[in-house]
Amino acid sequence: MNQTPINGLFLGGLISYAAAGLFGLAAYQRRRATRIVFCLFACLGALLEGIASVAAILDANETLISIPSGVPLLQYTFRLDPVSCYFNLALAVVSLAVSVYSLGYLDGFDVRKPRGIFCFFYSLLLVSLTVVFTANNAFLFLIVWEVMALSAYFLVSFDHERDESRKAGILFFVMSHVGTGALIVGFLLLGTWARSFDFSAFHLIAATLTPIQQGSLFLLFFFGFGVKAGMIPVHIWLPAAHPAAPSNVSALMSAILIKTGIYGIIRIAFDLLGIPPLWCGLLVLTAGTASAILGVLYALIEPDLKRMLAYSTIENAGIILMALGGAMVFRSYGRPTLAAVALVACLFHIFNHAIFKSLLFLSAGAVVHATGSRNLERMGGLIRPMPLTALCFLVGAIAISGLPPLNGFVSEWLTYQALLGGFGSTPSLTRIVFPVAGSLLALTGALAATCFVRAFGIGFLALPRSSQAAHVHEAHPAMLAGMGTLALLCIGLGLGATLWLPILDPLTNQLLGVRMSSNLVVSGGLALSSGSAAGGTVAPAALVGALVLLALLPGVLCAIWWRRGRKIPGPTWDCGLPGLTEYNEYTATAFSKPLRMIFAALFQPRREIQTEFEVSAYYPISVRFESEVEPAFETHLYSPLKDRIMARASRFRTIQAGSIHAYLAYIFITLVVLLLFGVRS
Amino acid sequence: MIEMLAKSGFQLLLLLLVAPLISGIIKTMKARLQTRCGPNVLQPYRDLFKLLRKGMVIPDTASWIFSAAPYIVFVTAALVGLMTPMTATDAPLSLFGGVLAVVYLLALGRFFLALSGLDTGSSFGGLGSSREMTISAIAEPAMMLAIFTVALGANSTNLSEMARSAVSQSWRFLAPSQMLAFAALFIVIIAETGRIPVDNPATHLELTMIHEAMILEYSGPYLALIEWGASIKQLVLMTLLVNTFFPFGLSSDWSVSGLGLGLSFYLLKLLLLACCIVLVETTNAKMRLFRVPELLAVAFILGALALISTFLF
């Protein structure tokens, strides 16, 4: 295919995003109708980017777009290769749905809020994400990486009247910069060795790097990108920032922003560093497993719906890293086909997670908007007033729990197959890692299902648990349209997985030189296989067909035997108490209590019960219950670290006197020192 | 296509008919061991027939989830049955998915059953859902390790492939890894089917029930579907256990003579396994809920040992 249309579409998409932002900034406050234009521009941008990405992936050639900047070392070079475009496609799909949703969601904002500024940063985030995925120059990459972090910061702290949002914003800002610091060091090292800051130049010198160089660079980048990816233990910004942000931004952050970290790791491990040493892959696999398990455990006990989703993002980032680590290990052992299976699992889960997590965040946003609370214990019974939102959340919940036949199941199935394949194909000591990781993945999956039974069951079913939840209304049609699109995609990607996998061929070909779809899709496109002969198959669409056919059976049985018209509504058994109220219902805290006790070593739960009574303890007047779980990473890792840094930093307080003259002098001295340094070398 | 439908039809019939029978046999044998008279072996059929004819009460707090759950539980159990080799090594729908799909389809049924428990708004439903999900979650890693051990031996996660490999070396169950995996899977299946010492299928005592608490509000045909589904699930899990570890008599084709022999061997093996379950149920007391993780940890360690011994021996 001719490259020019792809370039045109790509740049057109960027311009369209930018136009949306500027338009929103200029006109939003004045006329309400302008929101339609803002959303139209954002959707148009997403569509153009989406088309450009699909075209570039199918084209399978690299497209370079270079725009000179006039600044030395910096060039606006974009590389549209299959990997970049795949992430860009995920961004386009999610941003399309989120922008449509925003059309309704922005109406719910307080009119006094600077909505124009919100639109501006929202669009800026879209632009910077697009450029992060496509930048081909380290300087450009770092600049847009910063722009991305900054625009996300402003969006997170958009509700700045609330203490929580401000704190979350600062935490995100600090963690993000700690990560960026590592990235800057890494890129400078690579740049010195390659004598250029182009990614293409890094790729060329990859073969000349020693294992020690590769290893240390990998550690730097893994740390830097891991912060963004929400990997444990550098995840702490995620559960703070995601709930504080408006829900459409949370969706975008959780679905795409954390994927920039994953993108970075893939780019480094498979493209820029050659073949990193074996331990790098094992490190990624271990970090992924730990993130998956700990993420889902924290999600389980979280009463705040959006924080729960944020923890579940950590879990899914962990699953993605598990597959990625597997792929890296297999590549180190020189098993490209097996590595390709793991990589396909990883890439597929990246896309799937983007879809179902944005769906869940958008539905959570609709719920939070309707009930005015993020606390699960204040919801309940929403399935009747908000049937469509509930259905969307349920689809997302089934998908994220990895249950058939939706998309989450397919990517987890592929991950299992890759891990199982690893046992047979790697030398003795490392092979035991894979089945153990697989069994922990099973634990993660089952805990995720528990977590989402809790979220949906407590949040949407039975009786309303608060007066606000009793008087809610269905979400705005535009919001439903956004969610509905994503829900349909969850179903489509699950049932049509065999049709979707060929799109990953150019990616595995680029990164590993192998095309897998002909091995993975068998029986004339009906079933997925594990890539090796007789390894195992699964056919999601056929499963659904069989389920539907089998569902006729109970229907027929009932039709034959059951006397019609004997379906009587009646009250739920309430133990003889006068009427069932919301106080009889099981709470979210109670639901996760058994697991809180089983994993007490991790949670260190503390509870306090105070009872006031008159005659005896059996006749209480009031009971006060307090339960708390220790945030392990905050108390044991970050608080001591913060205290130590603050203690050291206070010694330098003297030089920061607040006098502008002194600061000018510092700048002057620094400049002189740097010049001297420059002259000497 | 027609052949697949015919095989599926045969196996479906077998599933629907044998599942309640096994439940009945276990109940009767248990009663006899406890020197009670016990119900007739055919009692579960009578119960199902009675329930299917009855009217039902739908709680007014419940939503469509409550009505959908019985169908999903029943249908997923039946589908899983069609993917498992029962009398012949190649299961009718083995192409549709292997052992991983089996585990996850059962999880889908459980997902909806747990939701239906919460849907009624009663405390019992929530209590049952919470415990059911907890126990199944902590049983999962042990189950996967045991399954992986078998799958690695057969080099496939396809159940028919696993059965075929077991048939080709029918004394393989004497290998330490297989015995350990069998023990792990046996414990997991006790937990998954809600039997003593993990759950008591006969109890309606408020604080001890797990599975029964979830389905407390169901009546009539819906209850029949759930009970039938649960017994099919139990049969499928037992089948998995007997056919992957003890493949004796599994017919390699679908000829009438092969099937006859396969069926008689299959029923015999099921009967023996049912005896084991009855013995375990009679000689043990139900555990406290928070002792169950210890039992499942034992299963996990057995599974891990099984896996390690696959490449030691």
Side-chain angles (χ1 to χ4, degrees):
Chain A
M1 194 202 257
N2 194 351
Q3 311 276 306
T4 0
I6 299 181
N7 294 359
L9 284 170
F10 174 75
L11 292 175
L14 278 183
I15 292 167
S16 186
Y17 280 152
L22 294 176
F23 188 83
L25 187 63
Y28 203 103
Q29 259 350 51
R30 269 171 256 147
R31 299 178 68 104
R32 283 192 64 207
T34 49
R35 75 205 158 106
I36 298 177
V37 184
F38 161 72
C39 291
L40 272 182
F41 267 119
C43 293
L44 177 70
L47 272 179
L48 291 177
E49 290 296 344
I51 297 169
S53 307
V54 172
I57 293 175
L58 294 179
D59 191 34
N61 279 323
E62 285 187 9
T63 315
L64 279 177
I65 307 174
S66 213
I67 305 166
S69 68
V71 181
L73 293 175
L74 171 67
Q75 266 203 320
Y76 300 124
T77 337
F78 306 103
R79 181 163 69 161
L80 303 184
D81 61 4
V83 176
S84 295
C85 288
Y86 184 71
F87 280 88
N88 219 357
L89 178 64
L91 167 63
V93 172
V94 171
S95 73
L96 182 66
V98 172
S99 300
V100 171
Y101 175 92
S102 302
L103 190 61
Y105 188 72
L106 291 180
D107 273 1
F109 279 15
D110 189 343
V111 277
R112 285 161 300 174
K113 283 275 175 78
R115 282 177 292 178
I117 293 183
F118 178 85
C119 295
F120 175 73
F121 282 115
Y122 174 81
S123 309
L124 192 62
L125 183 62
L126 292 181
V127 171
S128 54
L129 283 168
T130 312
V131 181
V132 161
F133 289 139
T134 49
N136 190 35
N137 176 290
F139 274 110
L140 177 64
F141 183 87
L142 286 172
I143 289 171
V144 285
W145 185 261
E146 272 306 293
V147 173
M148 175 182 86
L150 276 175
S151 43
Y153 163 73
F154 284 114
L155 291 170
V156 167
S157 43
F158 183 68
D159 290 325
H160 59 85
E161 309 86 3
R162 285 186 302 148
D163 200 29
E164 182 206 4
S165 295
R166 285 200 305 274
K167 277 192 178 150
I170 297 284
L171 181 63
F172 168 65
F173 197 65
V174 171
M175 285 307 288
S176 176
H177 279 82
V178 172
T180 313
L183 293 187
I184 291 176
V185 177
F187 278 126
L188 283 178
L189 281 175
L190 260 179
T192 340
W193 290 327
R195 298 183 184 284
S196 162
F197 284 93
D198 272 353
F199 283 177
S200 330
F202 296 162
H203 182 72
L204 289 178
I205 62 140
T208 63
L209 294 175
T210 62
I212 294 175
Q213 283 174 326
Q214 281 179 329
S216 42
L217 277 176
F218 184 80
L219 277 184
L220 277 172
F221 282 114
F222 186 52
F223 175 77
F225 286 126
V227 172
K228 270 287 185 311
M231 180 182 71
I232 280 175
V234 283
H235 66 286
I236 53 158
W237 63 272
L238 226 141
H242 283 40
S247 293
N248 49 354
V249 176
S250 325
L252 205 55
M253 283 177 77
S254 202
I256 303 296
L257 189 117
I258 69 136
K259 301 297 184 331
T260 59
I262 308 276
Y263 164 76
I265 298 172
I266 293 183
R267 180 61 85 192
I268 287 296
F270 285 87
D271 188 11
L272 303 186
L273 284 188
I275 301 182
L278 173 67
W279 60 264
C280 296
L282 289 174
L283 176 72
V284 175
L285 184 64
T286 318
T289 315
S291 301
I293 289 279
L294 291 173
V296 75
L297 279 175
Y298 280 110
L300 256 173
I301 54 160
E302 190 54 61
D304 180 328
L305 179 58
K306 284 179 76 178
R307 262 175 88 89
M308 185 280 274
L309 290 176
Y311 275 119
S312 134
T313 297
I314 298 176
E315 172 224 328
N316 279 280
I319 296 176
I320 292 169
L321 286 178
M322 280 167 90
L324 182 60
M328 288 171 66
V329 173
F330 303 145
R331 187 164 170 250
S332 306
Y333 278 124
R335 300 207 166 259
T337 38
L338 196 54
V341 177
L343 196 63
V344 164
C346 164
L347 292 166
F348 198 19
H349 201 69
I350 287 171
F351 204 90
N352 290 339
H353 177 248
I355 304 289
F356 53 62
K357 188 47 72 62
S358 49
L359 169 61
L360 286 167
F361 261 116
L362 294 184
S363 344
V367 168
V368 171
H369 177 65
T371 60
S373 170
R374 296 202 312 252
N375 193 339
L376 276 174
E377 318 277 24
R378 313 277 302 158
M379 298 172 184
L382 300 176
I383 194 168
R384 268 176 294 276
M386 309 177 81
L388 294 171
T389 309
L391 188 63
C392 287
F393 192 91
L394 182 63
V395 169
I398 296 175
I400 202 170
S401 308
L403 297 175
L406 301 189
N407 55 357
F409 168 69
V410 182
S411 42
E412 284 195 22
W413 186 86
L414 281 168
T415 311
Y416 278 120
Q417 292 294 353
L419 291 175
L420 265 178
F423 186 83
S425 338
T426 45
S428 59
L429 264 180
T430 40
R431 62 175 13 187
I432 197 72
V433 172
F434 297 104
V436 171
S439 71
L440 291 176
L441 178 61
L443 177 63
T444 308
L447 288 174
T450 312
C451 182
F452 281 91
V453 163
R454 170 176 176 267
F456 187 77
I458 305 286
F460 287 86
L461 299 180
L463 293 170
R465 292 156 195 273
S466 67
S467 53
Q468 289 95 324
H471 303 101
V472 295
H473 49 87
E474 182 55 287
H476 190 281
M479 289 159 78
L480 287 175
M483 294 187 274
T485 318
L486 293 170
L488 287 178
L489 271 173
C490 278
I491 299 170
L493 280 173
L495 300 188
T498 48
L499 302 175
W500 173 255
L501 282 187
I503 211 165
L504 295 171
D505 266 353
L507 282 92
T508 49
N509 190 35
Q510 183 198 348
L511 298 177
L512 295 162
V514 193
R515 289 177 174 269
M516 280 312 288
S517 66
S518 52
N519 291 346
L520 286 176
V521 179
V522 293
S523 305
L526 176 72
L528 282 170
S529 94
S530 63
S532 60
T537 51
V538 72
L543 285 180
V544 175
L547 284 175
V548 172
L549 276 181
L550 283 172
L552 295 175
L553 182 75
V556 170
L557 282 178
C558 289
I560 295 173
W561 275 304
W562 192 44
R563 287 177 236 146
R564 300 237 143 250
R566 300 268 315 268
K567 214 174 186 177
I568 320 152
T572 303
W573 167 239
D574 50 13
C575 299
L577 292 167
L580 190 79
T581 66
E582 69 265 30
Y583 298 111
N584 295 58
E585 291 178 302
Y586 226 52
T587 60
T589 317
F591 192 88
S592 53
K593 170 99 185 182
L595 283 163
R596 207 161 56 233
M597 289 189 52
I598 292 168
F599 293 97
L602 169 72
F603 293 131
Q604 301 287 337
R606 187 188 66 77
R607 67 171 181 172
E608 206 175 296
I609 303 173
Q610 287 175 345
T611 324
E612 280 179 40
F613 53 86
E614 256 175 5
V615 186
S616 86
Y618 297 106
Y619 298 100
I621 304 168
S622 71
V623 180
R624 197 173 152 280
F625 173 82
E626 210 180 275
S627 160
E628 197 182 49
V629 162
E630 185 183 77
F633 289 96
E634 279 81 347
T635 34
H636 295 302
L637 182 63
Y638 285 96
S639 289
L641 194 68
K642 193 185 86 185
D643 292 343
R644 229 175 256 182
I645 292 174
M646 293 308 272
R648 293 279 157 82
S650 62
R651 292 192 208 152
F652 292 95
R653 206 167 274 167
T654 42
I655 64 166
Q656 201 173 21
S659 142
I660 195 147
H661 303 293
Y663 294 160
L664 284 173
Y666 296 153
I667 294 174
F668 182 69
I669 294 168
T670 315
L671 195 64
V672 169
V673 170
L674 282 179
L675 280 174
L676 282 177
F677 188 73
V679 168
R680 242 196 60 196
S681 59
Chain B
M1 186 70 188
I2 306 258
E3 197 191 329
M4 195 167 88
L5 279 179
K7 287 178 191 173
S8 307
F10 172 74
Q11 187 146 333
L12 188 61
L13 208 63
L14 204 61
L15 276 172
L16 293 179
L17 293 180
V18 175
L21 182 68
I22 292 292
S23 303
I25 289 176
I26 292 181
K27 265 186 202 147
T28 313
M29 276 205 290
K30 211 169 114 181
R32 291 286 154 80
L33 262 186
Q34 295 166 350
T35 59
R36 289 185 287 122
C37 180
N40 189 308
V41 180
L42 300 178
Q43 189 59 36
Y45 294 104
R46 294 179 191 153
D47 287 345
L48 287 179
F49 192 69
K50 179 188 73 186
L51 284 172
L52 277 173
R53 292 180 68 85
K54 283 206 159 207
M56 53 184 160
V57 183
I58 308 284
D60 30 44
T61 45
S63 65
W64 62 268
I65 300 275
F66 185 81
S67 315
Y71 285 93
I72 296 178
V73 168
F74 181 81
V75 166
T76 48
L79 176 57
V80 158
L82 295 182
M83 288 153 59
T84 317
M86 288 170 77
T87 50
T89 43
D90 53 334
L93 300 184
S94 70
L95 178 70
F96 286 18
V99 66
L100 294 171
V102 165
V103 171
Y104 274 81
L105 275 171
L106 290 177
L108 180 68
R110 190 189 308 124
F111 187 89
F112 273 91
L113 198 59
L115 282 183
S116 75
L118 285 164
D119 199 16
T120 58
S122 87
S123 331
F124 298 130
L127 178 142
S129 311
S130 161
R131 291 179 177 177
E132 173 96 358
M133 292 309 284
T134 303
I135 288 181
S136 68
I138 48 177
E140 202 87 335
M143 169 142 87
M144 277 298 173
L145 278 181
I147 286 175
F148 284 172
T149 311
V150 185
L152 288 168
N155 220 347
S156 173
T157 53
N158 187 315
L159 283 165
S160 295
E161 207 64 49
M162 281 156 80
R164 219 166 286 145
S165 133
V167 168
S168 68
Q169 339 168 14
S170 48
W171 296 104
R172 195 175 60 188
F173 66 88
L174 287 175
S177 68
Q178 302 291 312
M179 278 152 85
L180 288 165
F182 177 82
L185 210 54
F186 186 77
I187 296 179
V188 168
I189 282 174
I190 292 277
E192 284 279 323
T193 50
R195 300 217 149 263
I196 291 174
V198 174
D199 185 13
N200 185 352
T203 186
H204 275 94
L205 209 67
E206 286 148 0
L207 295 178
T208 55
M209 54 186 175
I210 300 179
H211 182 79
E212 292 296 319
M214 263 195 303
I215 61 171
L216 203 58
E217 293 298 320
Y218 277 108
S219 51
Y222 283 169
L223 183 59
L225 285 182
I226 289 182
E227 296 282 9
W228 210 343
S231 62
I232 294 176
K233 177 184 164 186
Q234 171 181 293
L235 176 67
V236 172
L237 290 173
M238 286 169 71
T239 308
L240 268 181
L241 209 55
V242 294
N243 277 354
T244 42
F245 290 98
F246 309 105
F248 310 112
L250 264 182
S251 143
S252 55
D253 52 16
W254 283 77
S255 66
V256 178
S257 57
L259 281 188
L261 193 67
L263 188 60
S264 37
F265 262 99
Y266 172 63
L267 290 177
L268 193 68
K269 285 186 287 184
L270 280 183
L271 207 59
L272 283 174
L273 186 62
C275 288
C276 295
I277 291 177
V278 168
L279 276 178
V280 170
E281 284 217 303
T282 324
T283 48
N284 283 283
K286 189 189 165 302
M287 281 182 166
R288 271 180 60 219
L289 183 65
F290 289 104
R291 292 283 307 280
V292 174
E294 292 166 21
L295 178 71
L296 291 169
V298 170
F300 181 80
I301 290 168
L302 287 174
L305 287 176
L307 201 69
I308 291 168
S309 49
T310 47
F311 73 99
L312 283 185
F313 305 106

